[in-house]
Amino acid sequence: MSACAPTRTTDPTRAKHPHQPHSPPPAPNRRFRVAGADVSASIAVFLIALPLSLGIALATGAPLQAGLVAAAVGGFLAGWIGGCPLQVSGPAAGLTVVTADLIHQYGWRTTCAVTVLAGLAQLGLGCLRVARSALAVSPAVVHGMLAGIGVTIAVAQVHIVLGGTPQSSVLANVRALPTQLAKLHPAAVAVSVLTLTLLLLWPRITGRAGRMLRGIPDALVSVAGATVAASLAGLTLPRVDLPSWRSHALAGLPQGPVLGLTAAVLTTTLVCSVQSLLGAVAVDKMVAARPGPPTHVERADLDRELLGQGAANVVSGALGGLPVAGVAVRSSANVKAGAVSRNSTMLHGVLVVVAALLMVPVLEFIPLASLAALVMAVGIRMVSLHHIRTVTRHREVLVYAVTTLGVVIFGVLQGVALGIAMAVAVAMQRLARTRITHEEKGGVHHVRVRGQLTFLAVPRLSRALHLVPHGAHAVVELDGSFMDHAAYESLQDWQNTHTARGGSAELSGRKGGARTIKPALLTADTGAGDAVDAVEGVDGSSVECRCSPWTPWRNHQCVRPRSAAPAGCSGTASGVEGVDGLSAEGGVPDGPGELRRVGGLRRPGRLGGLGESSGVGGSNGSSGLGGCSGPSGLDGSSEPSELGGSSGLSELGGQSGASRLGGVSRSDGPGHLDASSRPDAPGRSGTPGHLDRPSRPDRPGRSDEANRPDRPDRSDGGPGQARYQLARGISAFQRNTAPLVRGELARLAREGQQPSQLFLTCADSRVVTSMITSSGPGDLFVVRNVGNLVPLPGAESGDDSVAAAIEYAVDVLKVRSITVCGHSGCGAMQALLSAEPGAPTPLKRWLRHGLPSLERMTGGDRPWARPRLAGRRPADAVEQLCLTNVVQQLAHLRAHESVSRALHNGALELHGMYFHVGEAQAYLLTGADDDEMFVHVTADSSDTPGRRERHEQA
């Protein structure tokens, strides 16, 4: 059979056609159906939207019916046409300032006309398919705009809360505040305080009753409670006044200056579009993270969402309603209520219409002060402390502050323009700012480059490099993520000149790997582009090292030159060009978009895919490189290549390259390529799928016998070498990683640790908790011991250290979950199975806490109830005991008083996890006591084990 001819096999899981092969499929069922989840979600959203719509209309100075019109049109029309099925649209607090200013300047009918024109502009932008461009705006500008709008809303509503009338601008409201405080209206203040109290305390009710009561929206409870209290007390207050719909004002022809109306249309279009599009992206994230069984909810189509928002604004403005945009509060409530389709949004709009027609007498009991207090709370929440911390961490607080102040003082459009200008200025300043220093320590000249290395910094770089005298040893530290061609050529030219005159140059970057060029190493065998690290061993001998520091768990091997490679395989097969087009074995691609090392220098922009060097793509797992056959990965497995711009072997948490925390690349993670994973790596002589280079006759001391694959020469050097590796690793951390994580660690030092999980796992060195969970500093409170055991309280030979850690995590740190993680090939479980009588050693006394797990597994009364893996049986008794041990230690956890109390109060969850080391596959425990199953955790974050198992059972 031809290798190009695909083979077809019968798929038993493939669905059968319900009709004959050559007959047309039956007509689809056109009956309209509404899921029960959509009905309940629409009611929840309606109860939130009703008071908020009236409050926003009150805050803008528009007729109160306008808020109901916008809620009904936005809910039904935008929900029907829009591209985000679960996003709820309506009058948004972010549009309050814009609409209030329009009403003050042009009147209500012209404001409606501006809303119609803004809707037409949105329809045009949607047809041009430019919705994704709105996401290019800096988040600091967006959050600053919303914060400025929130401040404006809150300051204006304070006057209504105090029983007065707001002014036309923020500054006027601030100046009038002392006078308003002198003329307090006690009834209005009392109703407002009651509204705010209910709004703050309702979500904080604890216990079983609290979980039931929190299902009622806090906005509805606060307004309803204040209304009932005001009616029972007989307070005289301004209340909602809904005139007859016959007198409702519709849109008219716009009247006013053309430039002013154009600016108004642009401002309304900008705020409506940006808020709706960002809301649609946020809804997608909330749907993906929603617990429970998986539901088929389409991802947001941003261009279609823009068309839906435009159509809703056209109709809302024509009918005399407020501008419409996606509302975060209602969308979040819709997702949390379990909505599964756009029917929930449309039904919410229908319910608003019914309320506007039938509930007018009830709505007119609501005090205006209560609605003002509700809107004031919404405005205060728009100034998010989380967003402030985020922009501060990313050093964009200046952009945020300028945007916020610009919106408060000048207006929305002017504030956004100032914010964008400041964002551009900050970006240019960061790109152009480079700090270059030179110092001499112990005869070694250090040139440090901090920042992006562009042509603007070449003169300063050249001056610093020429301060290094001829023949001296120089270390150039590049701490940046970008180097342009001019800077690269300048650095390369200096390096070549410096080494030609007898000097040596060591260049290191963010990943901590260094390359040293010495004249003695530039032999004819290596070529000008071959950079070799000369690492002095403990015994004083020179050891050739191509590994990043402190990488023993990645098969770190520093060896002397190896024997010749098989025929047809040469060192140039790695596909990495040297400076002059020659092969540079020292050149290692660090990943797309990053610098790579060529001839001792990290070269920008030139990528050599991992598939080139590891032989990915060869048939039957062979390397496929110039006749070098054999498996391309370890243990005969094919290693993945770098596709789609992903740097390294794997991506943890969906981030590029090695596992990243807060933008920090972990050079010792599995996504980083070191010498042990390269085809020309030391210590891989004779290994299938890895390339060797010819032996070097000028470097004696290695025989063919010493270079056999079954007898690798590891220059361990004893404890001294390990100590040296440790020192190198710490030095690399201080130089490269510490500056990047110092801000985050300083924050943790100030605020204290607040982990969300207690992670109890085995002390096995192959189980790297931060790698498996994609976590970082402050995320996990980790307890490790031999066998991931949890001694029962009061057990003989008990260990209070584990119990103390559990008590501290639950009672002091208030962790929300505890995970017990076992792993394959656990030595403690093997010791339990092969235990022999003898003198009690500390290890044997400790392993007594695992005897209940052994008894649980060997109990023959219910063998079907043993924990198992989804899709296959345990490989052997050791794996069965590892699975059983996780379940048994969870039972031991429940016996601890602090855990039992937290579980009873609903403040804690327990999880079981199993990690198969050889497969790099994690499993999570699901099922009841008689049906414990460990289910795969896949790369799809939305496909959680609990969801998939229930789906498979269905």
Side-chain angles (χ1 to χ4, degrees):
M1 179 180 293
S2 173
C4 299
T7 59
R8 295 184 178 271
T9 59
T10 304
D11 187 0
T13 63
R14 190 171 183 177
K16 303 294 183 180
H17 288 285
H19 54 86
Q20 296 298 324
H22 300 287
S23 62
N29 190 358
R30 299 291 184 181
R31 183 178 179 183
F32 179 75
R33 294 181 180 180
V34 180
D38 286 333
V39 175
S40 59
S42 66
I43 296 175
V45 175
F46 160 72
L47 296 177
I48 296 175
L50 191 61
L52 281 178
S53 300
L54 294 174
I56 292 173
L58 174 66
T60 59
L64 296 183
Q65 296 100 319
L68 300 177
V69 171
V73 173
F76 186 82
L77 197 58
W80 180 31
I81 302 177
C84 185
L86 300 189
Q87 176 163 251
V88 181
S89 302
L95 295 163
T96 302
V97 177
V98 177
T99 309
D101 187 56
L102 291 177
I103 295 174
H104 178 73
Q105 291 187 26
Y106 304 111
W108 172 241
R109 296 174 67 89
T110 300
T111 300
C112 293
V114 169
T115 302
V116 174
L117 294 176
L120 293 175
Q122 286 181 302
L123 288 174
L125 293 175
C127 293
L128 293 176
R129 307 185 68 81
V130 296
R132 288 283 174 186
S133 303
L135 302 181
V137 181
S138 170
V141 174
V142 177
H143 298 322
M145 177 190 72
L146 296 177
I149 293 173
V151 171
T152 306
I153 293 172
V155 173
Q157 297 310 299
V158 166
H159 288 271
I160 302 179
V161 166
L162 298 177
T165 303
Q167 305 299 316
S168 59
S169 66
V170 177
L171 298 179
N173 282 321
V174 173
R175 285 193 297 265
L177 194 56
T179 304
Q180 187 64 56
L181 290 173
K183 300 178 181 179
L184 287 177
H185 194 293
V189 174
V191 170
S192 301
V193 170
L194 178 59
T195 303
L196 293 175
T197 302
L198 291 173
L199 196 63
L200 293 175
L201 296 182
W202 190 259
R204 290 171 172 79
I205 301 177
T206 59
R208 183 176 302 176
R211 289 196 298 270
M212 297 176 60
L213 293 176
R214 285 196 299 268
I216 306 175
D218 52 359
L220 177 66
V221 171
S222 59
V223 173
T227 302
V228 172
S231 300
L232 295 177
L235 299 179
T236 303
L237 289 169
R239 300 179 185 270
V240 170
D241 182 17
L242 293 175
S244 173
W245 286 100
R246 296 178 181 178
S247 60
H248 179 64
L250 303 179
L253 293 176
Q255 297 179 359
V258 176
L259 290 179
L261 292 174
T262 303
V265 172
L266 291 177
T267 304
T268 306
T269 304
L270 172 67
V271 178
C272 290
S273 302
V274 171
Q275 183 168 346
S276 300
L277 295 177
L278 294 179
V281 174
V283 168
D284 275 351
K285 295 179 181 179
M286 287 188 289
V287 171
R290 183 169 56 179
T295 55
H296 179 68
V297 179
E298 299 176 0
R299 295 194 62 183
D301 183 346
L302 297 185
D303 293 305
R304 180 178 172 182
E305 180 65 20
L306 207 54
L307 292 174
Q309 297 294 331
N313 273 314
V314 170
V315 176
S316 178
L319 297 179
L322 292 172
V324 170
V327 187
V329 176
R330 301 173 209 179
S331 302
S332 176
N334 194 34
V335 174
K336 291 179 180 178
V340 295
S341 71
R342 63 181 72 244
N343 293 333
S344 62
T345 304
M346 299 166 61
L347 282 176
H348 134 266
V350 173
L351 292 176
V352 172
V353 173
V354 173
L357 296 177
L358 303 181
M359 295 179 61
V360 172
V362 178
L363 297 177
E364 290 183 341
F365 281 102
I366 301 176
L368 296 182
S370 178
L371 293 178
L374 175 64
V375 176
M376 183 180 71
V378 172
I380 293 174
R381 289 174 179 174
M382 293 176 70
V383 186
S384 172
L385 295 179
H386 171 70
H387 292 157
I388 294 176
R389 285 194 293 265
T390 301
V391 297
T392 302
R393 186 165 61 249
H394 292 283
R395 296 181 298 170
E396 293 184 338
V397 67
L398 184 61
V399 179
Y400 182 91
V402 168
T403 307
T404 301
L405 292 177
V407 171
V408 170
I409 298 174
F410 302 108
V412 176
L413 189 61
Q414 295 86 343
V416 170
L418 288 174
I420 292 176
M422 180 56 64
V424 172
V426 169
M428 294 298 296
Q429 187 266 348
R430 289 179 179 175
L431 184 62
R433 181 181 179 183
T434 306
R435 183 184 178 190
I436 303 175
T437 60
H438 169 269
E439 63 176 347
E440 180 184 0
K441 289 183 179 180
V444 179
H445 293 261
H446 295 267
V447 179
R448 295 183 174 87
V449 181
R450 300 290 184 267
Q452 317 310 321
L453 198 54
T454 64
F455 66 94
L456 298 175
V458 168
R460 287 181 289 144
L461 175 65
S462 179
R463 284 195 296 267
L465 293 176
H466 281 80
L467 294 177
V468 180
H470 300 317
H473 178 62
V475 177
V476 181
E477 300 177 8
L478 305 177
D479 183 11
S481 60
F482 176 76
M483 177 196 299
D484 69 0
H485 187 69
Y488 166 75
E489 283 195 345
S490 175
L491 194 57
Q492 186 70 39
D493 292 343
W494 169 83
Q495 182 187 22
N496 294 336
T497 303
H498 185 68
T499 54
R501 295 179 178 179
S504 61
E506 179 180 339
L507 297 107
S508 64
R510 293 190 307 159
K511 288 184 178 295
R515 289 293 179 270
T516 304
I517 290 288
K518 294 186 178 181
L521 297 178
L522 293 178
T523 63
D525 182 54
T526 59
D530 193 3
V532 181
D533 282 347
V535 179
E536 185 176 352
V538 178
D539 57 355
S541 61
S542 178
V543 179
E544 182 181 334
C545 177
R546 298 173 179 270
C547 307
S548 296
W550 196 237
T551 55
W553 67 282
R554 284 183 295 149
N555 197 19
H556 183 104
Q557 298 180 20
C558 296
V559 297
R560 292 180 174 86
R562 294 147 296 159
S563 61
C569 299
S570 65
T572 59
S574 61
V576 182
E577 289 185 353
V579 177
D580 301 321
L582 301 175
S583 169
E585 295 176 17
V588 181
D590 285 328
E594 296 193 39
L595 308 176
R596 81 167 187 177
R597 307 183 187 96
V598 177
L601 179 63
R602 300 180 65 163
R603 187 174 185 175
R606 301 291 300 273
L607 303 178
L610 180 60
E612 298 176 25
S613 57
S614 63
V616 174
S619 60
N620 300 326
S622 63
S623 63
L625 287 175
C628 300
S629 61
S632 59
L634 296 175
D635 301 327
S637 60
S638 177
E639 297 179 0
S641 61
E642 293 179 3
L643 301 176
S646 302
S647 173
L649 296 179
S650 65
E651 292 186 9
L652 299 181
Q655 296 172 343
S656 175
S659 173
R660 294 177 182 264
L661 173 65
V664 181
S665 175
R666 298 180 182 170
S667 61
D668 59 349
H672 174 65
L673 291 175
D674 67 347
S676 63
S677 62
R678 298 203 313 266
D680 58 343
R684 296 297 181 91
S685 176
T687 303
H690 291 279
L691 305 178
D692 295 292
R693 55 192 180 120
S695 60
R696 299 180 180 179
D698 58 335
R699 296 189 182 181
R702 291 294 303 272
S703 65
D704 293 339
E705 178 66 22
N707 202 31
R708 284 171 46 189
D710 57 341
R711 295 180 59 182
D713 181 12
R714 303 188 184 187
S715 301
D716 295 334
Q721 180 68 15
R723 184 168 59 253
Y724 176 72
Q725 290 178 356
L726 177 63
R728 286 187 66 202
I730 297 175
S731 176
F733 167 79
Q734 294 297 145
R735 179 176 65 252
N736 302 316
T737 307
L740 301 177
V741 302
R742 187 169 288 118
E744 177 67 13
L745 293 179
R747 182 189 66 81
L748 291 173
R750 290 192 308 268
E751 301 177 0
Q753 61 170 330
Q754 297 177 352
S756 60
Q757 296 186 45
L758 166 59
F759 198 87
L760 197 151
T761 188
C762 185
D764 194 296
S765 62
R766 299 167 296 178
V767 180
V768 185
T769 57
S770 59
M771 179 184 69
I772 297 172
T773 60
S774 299
S775 58
D779 293 339
L780 300 181
F781 187 71
V782 182
V783 175
R784 306 189 69 156
N785 59 51
V786 176
N788 48 275
L789 301 178
V790 181
L792 284 169
E796 183 182 358
S797 301
D799 187 344
D800 287 340
S801 65
V802 178
I806 295 171
E807 180 182 351
Y808 183 76
V810 175
D811 293 342
V812 180
L813 298 179
K814 305 294 184 183
V815 296
R816 296 186 295 274
S817 69
I818 301 179
T819 301
V820 176
C821 177
H823 68 94
S824 61
C826 181
M829 300 301 105
Q830 296 177 18
L832 277 175
L833 286 173
S834 59
E836 297 180 358
T841 63
L843 179 59
K844 289 183 178 180
R845 286 196 297 268
W846 170 253
L847 290 180
R848 290 179 183 175
H849 305 299
L851 292 178
S853 302
L854 184 60
E855 295 172 358
R856 184 187 187 112
M857 184 190 76
T858 56
D861 52 345
R862 293 185 305 168
W864 62 87
R866 295 173 183 170
R868 64 190 190 280
L869 294 172
R872 68 175 178 87
R873 295 182 178 180
D876 50 25
V878 174
E879 186 169 45
Q880 180 65 70
L881 184 55
C882 292
L883 300 174
T884 307
N885 184 56
V886 172
V887 178
Q888 184 63 36
Q889 301 312 313
L890 288 173
H892 288 185
L893 266 176
R894 297 185 184 94
H896 285 258
E897 181 182 357
S898 56
V899 175
S900 176
R901 183 171 56 253
L903 290 173
H904 178 73
N905 295 332
L908 185 66
E909 295 179 352
L910 299 184
H911 302 286
M913 178 176 169
Y914 176 74
F915 182 70
H916 196 288
V917 177
E919 299 175 355
Q921 176 62 56
Y923 299 80
L924 284 182
L925 178 63
T926 62
D929 293 338
D930 293 336
D931 188 24
E932 289 116 347
M933 178 183 293
F934 288 83
V935 186
H936 288 81
V937 178
T938 65
D940 184 2
S941 61
S942 63
D943 190 15
T944 59
R947 299 184 192 177
R948 182 171 62 254
E949 184 187 10
R950 286 187 287 268
H951 178 67
E952 291 173 351
Q953 292 175 353

